[in-house]
Amino acid sequence: MRRVNLDSMASSRNSRLYAGMAAEERQAERRLRLIQAAIEVYGEVGYRNATVKAVCEAAELTERYFYESFANSEALLIAAYMHVCDTLHADMAAAADACAGDPEARMTAALTLYFTRLREHPRPARVFLLEISGISPAVDAVKLTVSRTFSEILVPPPDIAPHADRGQNLLSTGMVGAVISIALRWVSKGYPQPVEEIVAATAAFCRVALSGHSHRGKV
Amino acid sequence: MRRVNLDSMASSRNSRLYAGMAAEERQAERRLRLIQAAIEVYGEVGYRNATVKAVCEAAELTERYFYESFANSEALLIAAYMHVCDTLHADMAAAADACAGDPEARMTAALTLYFTRLREHPRPARVFLLEISGISPAVDAVKLTVSRTFSEILVPPPDIAPHADRGQNLLSTGMVGAVISIALRWVSKGYPQPVEEIVAATAAFCRVALSGHSHRGKV
DNA sequence: CCTATCTGACAATCTTCCTTGTCAATATCT
DNA sequence: AGATATTGACAAGGAAGATTGTCAGATAGG
């Protein structure tokens, strides 16, 4: 009849401790291991050539634990994608917000951090620039959300956001597309140019979106 | 012993006429049917969900004829992609060259034709904007060639091309990325804006690459 | 020490699709 | 009309991988 230990800490509810961790913690750790393994494997062979088995082996876990945390391969892809983007965007936002008030400096700071990271971590970069396209509607939806965040870090919308910013969305889309394309080329060619040059080229496209905010009387 | 008809035309070499066509013609027609069917099917369900069987059924041919013309699915994808792009680019180039001498008008003419076509033919558009990414190195290589052509139609490089146009390639890449991204969004949202608005937005990004040609003293 | 839980290895099943092969029906040429 | 190339329908073979199931060994709690 449920002899629950009331004396111990609340976190170890009704689960046995293994390796000093509660069931939830162990599962969370496995999940994270799978995500990190996925980033490695996807970076090596690409998402569509990566098998569940290969990811599990890289994570040193068995398939059983794959299905414990993810419904299917696609779910892992989305989780891995968001994992990468979330941390990247958080850092970009921090770098950008340090330059509050100066849109040009903000852009440059965020872009510099972005491309520096891409060069430091080629595998995640490869995957999440190249392989993320056209997998499925669910993935595309995630990608859309992510690129919106990306765009708002680079060029934050005016505080008093106009109800329908139709033209602005087009410019944001184009800006993100330009940055991603340049990044993709840079990565796949093995980083031939220095970061500064890439930042300068992408900044030129970001300025298009930036100046779009001011030309608002026309619509 | 090879009783070849020397009196008939040279094209009907050693093949029996079927439906009034020589073997080569019949095969070429089947190949074309497969390509057109592929565009339809890919547009409906996407390349990676399209089976060989489905394409063959759409073409009203059997699998046997698939392997007659293509080594595998990927070969058909590439052929279909190039089929679409070749005709599109030819028309864009014609529209652009009609405005020779005026870079701005040239850009606008080519973009207008591009987006008009996209709206007229949603299925090919969907496939060849969205699904073409990250299939394989071979497909990526084709894509690279195509986007180079695309970029040169929009913003032709100076006649006396400088030996190493490093920065220019980055700008071209970004420009194409911006245009494609905007096109993709436009198509997938069901063409909410009029063509003129899309052309105006994309032209803003093309001008970045255009003006890149003149800023050449810096490097 | 003993029991119940947890883990890891691995096999079995199942599905899906590619690819090749067979065979009868059809169309053309002589 | 007869011989042969050509076509279309369809099935058999085969490969790859996802997903589930089994089972023995390891580990923590009592």
Side-chain angles (χ1 to χ4, degrees), chain A residues 48 134 171 173 177 181 185 197, chain B residues 48 134 166 173 177 181 185 205:
Chain A
R48 74 202 78 237
L171 294 183
T173 303
S181 299
R185 186 187 187 94
E197 193 176 334
Chain B
R48 69 202 81 237
R166 305 196 314 160
T173 303
S181 298
R185 186 188 187 93
F205 291 100

Side-chain angles (χ1 to χ4, degrees), chain A residues 48 130-131 133-135 140 144 148 166-167 169-171 173-178 181-182 185 189 192-193 197-198 201 204-205 208-209, chain B residues 48 130-131 133-135 140 144 148 166-167 169-178 181-182 185 189 193 197-198 201 204-205 208-209:
Chain A
R48 74 202 78 237
L130 180 66
E131 308 255 0
S133 289
I135 304 292
D140 288 344
L144 196 66
R148 183 177 195 85
R166 305 197 311 161
N169 275 333
L170 289 179
L171 294 183
T173 303
M175 173 183 77
V176 174
S181 299
I182 290 175
R185 186 187 187 94
K189 294 230 168 190
Q193 298 93 348
E197 193 176 334
I198 303 293
F205 289 100
V208 173
Chain B
R48 69 202 81 237
L130 180 66
E131 308 254 0
S133 290
I135 304 291
D140 288 344
L144 196 66
R148 182 176 197 84
R166 305 196 314 160
N169 275 333
L170 288 179
L171 294 183
S172 299
T173 303
M175 173 183 77
V176 174
S181 298
I182 289 175
R185 186 188 187 93
K189 294 232 167 188
Q193 298 96 346
E197 194 175 333
I198 302 293
F205 291 100
V208 173

Side-chain angles (χ1 to χ4, degrees), chain B residues 143-218:
Chain B
K143 201 181 142 195
L144 196 66
T145 308
V146 166
S147 58
R148 182 176 197 84
T149 305
F150 187 73
S151 129
E152 287 174 0
I153 291 169
L154 287 175
V155 179
D159 286 340
I160 316 103
H163 347 271
D165 50 352
R166 305 196 314 160
Q168 179 51 32
N169 275 333
L170 288 179
L171 294 183
S172 299
T173 303
M175 173 183 77
V176 174
V179 173
I180 301 281
S181 298
I182 289 175
L184 194 45
R185 186 188 187 93
W186 189 53
V187 170
S188 62
K189 294 232 167 188
Y191 311 98
Q193 298 96 346
V195 169
E196 296 77 33
E197 194 175 333
I198 302 293
V199 170
T202 49
F205 291 100
C206 294
R207 267 178 223 115
V208 173
L210 189 59
S211 68
H213 282 301
S214 38
H215 304 326
R216 213 160 260 292
K218 296 163 75 174

Side-chain angles (χ1 to χ4, degrees), chain B:
Chain B
M1 293 151 190
R2 290 223 204 136
R3 301 202 305 148
V4 178
N5 272 3
L6 290 175
D7 56 319
S8 70
M9 48 201 164
S11 71
S12 67
R13 289 254 169 154
N14 45 10
S15 68
R16 177 179 289 186
L17 287 182
Y18 256 66
M21 306 163 76
E24 305 152 352
E25 292 177 89
R26 296 197 304 273
Q27 167 162 351
E29 201 219 315
R30 285 193 291 261
R31 185 188 152 92
L32 187 58
R33 293 244 304 268
L34 283 167
I35 288 176
Q36 287 166 342
I39 294 169
E40 288 298 308
V41 173
Y42 295 168
E44 295 283 349
V45 304
Y47 168 67
R48 69 202 81 237
N49 297 323
T51 65
V52 171
K53 192 176 181 183
V55 172
C56 292
E57 281 172 2
E60 294 181 313
L61 292 170
T62 58
E63 292 100 315
R64 163 212 283 250
Y65 295 111
F66 181 92
Y67 294 101
E68 177 195 48
S69 285
F70 303 100
N72 48 43
S73 294
E74 196 180 303
L76 175 56
L77 175 67
I78 292 176
Y81 182 60
M82 290 181 65
H83 180 81
V84 169
C85 294
D86 283 352
T87 60
L88 182 57
H89 287 175
D91 293 350
M92 282 177 69
D97 290 341
C99 311
D102 183 350
E104 180 76 21
R106 183 188 170 85
M107 250 173 45
T108 307
L111 288 173
T112 301
L113 192 138
Y114 179 67
F115 288 108
T116 304
R117 281 290 173 81
L118 286 193
R119 196 173 53 188
E120 285 169 0
H121 305 292
R123 271 193 286 266
R126 215 182 160 59
V127 177
F128 296 105
L129 288 170
L130 180 66
E131 308 254 0
I132 199 64
S133 290
I135 304 291
S136 79
V139 177
D140 288 344
V142 174
K143 201 181 142 195
L144 196 66
T145 308
V146 166
S147 58
R148 182 176 197 84
T149 305
F150 187 73
S151 129
E152 287 174 0
I153 291 169
L154 287 175
V155 179
D159 286 340
I160 316 103
H163 347 271
D165 50 352
R166 305 196 314 160
Q168 179 51 32
N169 275 333
L170 288 179
L171 294 183
S172 299
T173 303
M175 173 183 77
V176 174
V179 173
I180 301 281
S181 298
I182 289 175
L184 194 45
R185 186 188 187 93
W186 189 53
V187 170
S188 62
K189 294 232 167 188
Y191 311 98
Q193 298 96 346
V195 169
E196 296 77 33
E197 194 175 333
I198 302 293
V199 170
T202 49
F205 291 100
C206 294
R207 267 178 223 115
V208 173
L210 189 59
S211 68
H213 282 301
S214 38
H215 304 326
R216 213 160 260 292
K218 296 163 75 174
V219 183

Side-chain angles (χ1 to χ4, degrees), chain A residues 21-64:
Chain A
M21 306 163 77
E24 305 151 353
E25 292 177 271
R26 295 196 304 274
Q27 167 162 352
E29 201 218 315
R30 285 193 291 261
R31 184 188 152 91
L32 187 59
R33 294 243 306 267
L34 284 168
I35 288 176
Q36 287 166 341
I39 294 170
E40 288 298 309
V41 173
Y42 294 168
E44 295 283 350
V45 301
Y47 168 68
R48 74 202 78 237
N49 296 323
T51 66
V52 171
K53 192 175 181 183
V55 172
C56 293
E57 279 171 5
E60 294 181 314
L61 293 169
T62 58
E63 292 99 315
R64 161 214 282 255

